[in-house]
Amino acid sequence: PPQLFETFPFAFTLKPLLIEGKAMESHTLRAGNDYDFLIPKEEFRRLRRHFPDAFFTNAYGDAGIRVGAYEFYESQFGFIYFQLERGAVDHHDYLVAHLEFLLFLKTLTLVYDPGNQKARHDLMLLMQKLGVPSFPLESRSDANGLEARNEQ
């Protein structure tokens, strides 16, 4: 794997944890375009001081810093680096999140955004790779309709 941060204008103390698209690609699940990383809170604060104009908040309320093609977060859905880096695969100057943590994050994405088709597709790919029996993922409106019919 390439060294992503060899020429990056910031020195990380701990290796950033790759999640999302490029993590899916690293696990040979699908092609990915997104370089999204989790970093420890203190690293996030240092990076924010280094790139003060790069701060943003994503659709789920997670604080991020965008530098070129990379996005860095201090948490995802309230879960921090040290909760999600266990079992990660070492790739020189960064880590790739373990498949089970990617599955967890995709599940949380669907909890917050049930219509997210990309997350649904990724969830099915992860379940297949992990050997988890798949089941039909109904849309929220289908599930609500089923509940109403069951109550009658």
Side-chain angles (χ1 to χ4, degrees), residues 19-108:
I19 55 175
E20 293 298 330
K22 284 294 185 180
M24 297 288 288
E25 184 175 300
S26 177
H27 287 295
T28 65
L29 292 164
R30 66 165 172 83
N33 299 320
D34 307 328
Y35 281 102
D36 294 350
F37 295 93
L38 272 181
I39 56 177
K41 190 174 193 169
E42 190 52 46
E43 295 269 64
F44 187 86
R45 287 180 181 156
R46 286 191 323 109
L47 188 65
R48 186 171 181 184
R49 284 193 300 272
H50 198 77
F51 297 101
D53 299 327
F55 181 81
F56 70 96
T57 304
N58 71 9
Y60 307 112
D62 298 311
I65 298 169
R66 188 175 293 115
V67 181
Y70 304 140
E71 291 183 4
F72 300 93
Y73 295 93
E74 69 176 330
S75 68
Q76 287 282 286
F77 303 105
F79 292 89
I80 63 170
Y81 178 91
F82 297 107
Q83 293 170 310
L84 299 174
E85 55 91 31
R86 282 177 262 151
V89 180
D90 194 333
H91 282 245
H92 301 294
D93 60 351
Y94 65 98
L95 302 172
V96 178
H98 189 278
L99 287 168
E100 290 173 353
F101 284 116
L102 293 176
L103 178 71
F104 176 67
L105 291 173
K106 294 301 177 181
T107 302
L108 288 175

